[in-house]
Amino acid sequence: MRTILNVIWLVFAGIWLAMGYALAGVICCILIVTIPFGIASFRIARYALWPFGRTVVRDPDAGVFSLLGNIIWFVVAGIWLAIGHVVTSIPLFISIIGIPMGVANIKLIPVSLLPLGARIVDND
């Protein structure tokens, strides 16, 4: 079932989200100071391509630099990404078939708000 949902997600939402996060990652990597944000964007892009069967876990040993980076990310990009995920999940929740995809979109909010110090792992 996960594979079917992931394929449907990939066609209707995942490819576009992943392209957006990958573009943000490229821009962040071009600006030398923001390379950690670029790496986090690439990690989120990979998660956005295939979200079913995976989850986000926080690394307790992330450190103070992750905290400071997350504060900067939250103010500059995180809040806007979270709002975008909420807005795009609303039409998905309206249709019965789109409910799992709306849930996947909501699942992306924590990692889009605070990407540094987060790991994406399989549910298994």
Side-chain angles (χ1 to χ4, degrees):
M1 188 58 145
R2 276 190 245 170
T3 305
I4 294 170
L5 287 171
N6 276 321
V7 169
I8 294 170
W9 169 264
L10 180 69
V11 171
F12 289 111
I15 193 76
W16 307 110
L17 282 172
M19 285 175 26
Y21 279 113
L23 178 64
V26 168
I27 291 170
C28 287
C29 285
I30 289 172
L31 307 168
I32 303 300
V33 177
T34 56
I35 287 177
F37 300 124
I39 294 169
S41 292
F42 291 133
R43 192 171 46 240
I44 298 169
R46 209 172 64 226
Y47 182 46
L49 274 176
W50 211 253
F52 293 98
R54 295 164 73 185
T55 189
V56 177
V57 247
R58 290 279 158 204
D59 186 9
D61 300 327
V64 71
F65 290 114
S66 290
L67 174 67
L68 294 174
N70 277 333
I71 292 170
I72 293 168
W73 177 273
F74 182 84
V75 171
V76 174
I79 194 73
W80 302 109
L81 291 170
I83 290 170
H85 283 297
V86 169
V87 168
T88 56
S89 69
I90 291 170
L92 293 170
F93 279 122
I94 291 174
S95 69
I96 293 172
I97 296 171
I99 290 174
M101 276 153 290
V103 170
N105 215 348
I106 296 296
K107 247 176 60 171
L108 284 163
I109 291 175
V111 75
S112 70
L113 278 174
L114 307 169
L116 302 177
R119 289 183 300 137
I120 299 163
V121 296
D122 291 332
N123 284 343
D124 299 335

